[in-house]
Amino acid sequence: AQKVTQAQTEISVVEKEDVTLDCVYETRDTTYYLFWYKQPPSGELVFLIRRNSFDEQNEISGRYSWNFQKSTSSFNFTITASQVVDSAVYFCALVAHYGFGNEKLTFGTGTRLTIIP
Amino acid sequence: DTEVTQTPKHLVMGMTNKKSLKCEQHMGHRAMYWYKQKAKKPPELMFVYSYEKLSINESVPSRFSPECPNSSLLNLHLHALQPEDSALYLCASSQDFVAQEAFFGQGTRLTVV
């Protein structure tokens, strides 16, 4: 079974501050994929990143960076110099590879991020 | 075109009504999904279509009936719903399987009265 834990339910920071969203996952599979999605108030989920279990290299994309550590089963997301437009609910998600056609995206409970102007 | 379009955006229906939700994508994706999302909760998978065939049904009640008429369209037929079915219904698609970037629509906000 797969499980994703996002312990931070809500976070508020003042604009321009850095903020890190935590994600801890559980899976018995050796092959799996981790994702981050952003859900703004408009409702759609926006894909941010995908990382496979064999690639522990950290990634930076503009103000966003991700820290993947298999040793602690964590895939944390940092926003640098936060902006009001970053306000949204952020979901971490996991897909474990257990058979074509049977993969399921398991979401964490989400972290509601509010950036205060 | 990297959009998944869902219609209608809002729907209010009575418990005896029959209605349908529609989802459309023109990215050539062969996997399409229906999710249900209650307020302040993560999306919950309902159905997965892979190459126009139903591959996953997450034990969804029969009052929800999915249909995939072609590779670009996904419908969700609703009948005899309950008030607890009120939620945001999200459609998504990906190239051909789940462990890929999924594109989501903005959802249909359904209220059952």
Side-chain angles (χ1 to χ4, degrees):
Chain A
Q2 285 74 238
K3 184 179 179 182
V4 177
T5 300
Q6 294 180 256
Q8 303 151 308
T9 306
E10 295 191 20
I11 300 176
S12 294
V13 300
V14 176
E15 195 173 19
K16 297 184 183 176
E17 286 185 355
D18 299 347
V19 59
T20 295
L21 309 183
D22 298 333
C23 174
V24 174
Y25 62 92
E26 295 175 30
T27 180
R28 293 178 183 170
D29 291 87
T30 56
T31 302
Y32 52 89
Y33 296 85
L34 295 162
F35 299 77
W36 276 95
Y37 282 89
K38 172 183 180 181
Q39 188 173 35
S42 53
E44 80 279 17
L45 276 81
V46 178
F47 168 85
L48 296 177
I49 190 171
R50 180 183 80 153
R51 176 67 71 217
N52 75 54
S53 52
F54 299 108
D55 181 4
E56 286 194 72
Q57 194 170 12
N58 292 328
E59 182 155 338
I60 298 174
S61 176
R63 297 183 296 107
Y64 295 170
S65 62
W66 290 269
N67 184 342
F68 176 28
Q69 293 197 338
K70 287 178 75 171
S71 60
T72 56
S73 297
S74 66
F75 187 42
N76 296 337
F77 173 32
T78 297
I79 301 175
T80 303
S82 60
Q83 299 177 3
V84 172
V85 293
D86 297 326
S87 296
V89 179
Y90 290 86
F91 291 100
C92 181
L94 166 71
V95 172
H97 181 79
Y98 60 95
F100 179 75
N102 290 318
E103 298 92 351
K104 301 176 189 178
L105 196 60
T106 299
F107 286 93
T109 49
T111 298
R112 182 175 298 276
L113 176 63
T114 301
I115 308 300
I116 303 166
Chain B
D1 183 5
T2 57
E3 275 193 354
V4 174
T5 304
Q6 288 189 245
T7 54
K9 291 202 173 359
H10 300 272
L11 178 63
V12 179
M13 61 184 290
M15 289 189 284
T16 59
N17 291 161
K18 286 185 181 181
K19 296 287 185 184
S20 296
L21 309 185
K22 181 180 173 182
C23 174
E24 195 166 1
Q25 58 87 13
H26 296 287
M27 294 176 278
H29 289 174
R30 304 313 298 269
M32 296 186 75
Y33 316 87
W34 280 114
Y35 287 87
K36 173 183 177 180
Q37 186 178 25
K38 302 283 275 185
K40 297 192 176 183
K41 297 288 187 182
E44 297 175 19
L45 182 66
M46 300 175 71
F47 303 103
V48 178
Y49 272 84
S50 179
Y51 290 82
E52 299 164 49
K53 292 195 183 327
L54 184 64
S55 61
I56 295 178
N57 176 342
E58 287 288 277
S59 302
V60 178
S62 59
R63 58 185 183 269
F64 295 91
S65 175
E67 179 196 18
C68 189
N70 60 57
S71 60
S72 299
L73 281 176
L74 188 65
N75 298 320
L76 186 62
H77 303 297
L78 315 173
H79 173 56
L81 294 193
Q82 304 296 312
E84 59 264 29
D85 296 322
S86 298
L88 180 67
Y89 288 84
L90 292 162
C91 174
S93 70
S94 61
Q95 189 68 40
D96 48 21
F97 66 102
V98 176
Q100 294 169 326
E101 175 184 356
F103 291 80
F104 284 78
Q106 289 195 335
T108 294
R109 201 163 293 279
L110 173 68
T111 303
V112 182
V113 297

